[in-house]
Amino acid sequence: MSNSEEQERNSDGLSPAQRLEPPNSRLINAGIVTIHDMETLRACVAYENANQQRVRILRQLKQQADEIRSQD
């Protein structure tokens, strides 16, 4: 993957709040599965821990982290 492709994937413009606070669970799921880098994932985990601490969301973030690690 070229550097420009990686930057595009890493900078989709969504903040952790936008990923984790949409009005329905399908959008939350979509926000999580479209995380492709550990930096964004860590920011989302930190946001969730600082705010709502939802176990289901944290579990999904962990699964996404495992997926990202398996691709490296």
Side-chain angles (χ1 to χ4, degrees), residues 5-69:
E5 288 173 329
E6 186 173 74
Q7 282 181 331
E8 183 178 323
R9 286 178 67 180
N10 293 348
S11 60
D12 61 7
L14 294 177
S15 71
Q18 290 170 315
R19 288 182 186 279
L20 302 175
E21 298 296 335
N24 69 58
S25 63
R26 286 187 289 171
L27 292 174
I28 294 172
N29 295 340
I32 292 172
V33 300
T34 57
I35 298 171
H36 300 291
D37 63 284
M38 291 304 288
E39 182 180 336
T40 301
L41 189 116
R42 286 185 189 108
C44 289
V45 169
Y47 176 85
E48 188 62 25
N49 282 329
N51 292 285
Q52 297 201 31
Q53 300 178 351
R54 297 168 288 190
V55 173
R56 182 181 64 83
I57 301 299
L58 291 168
R59 190 175 300 127
Q60 286 180 276
L61 289 166
K62 182 191 178 307
Q63 289 172 343
Q64 189 64 17
D66 293 343
E67 179 68 26
I68 291 168
R69 286 185 193 107

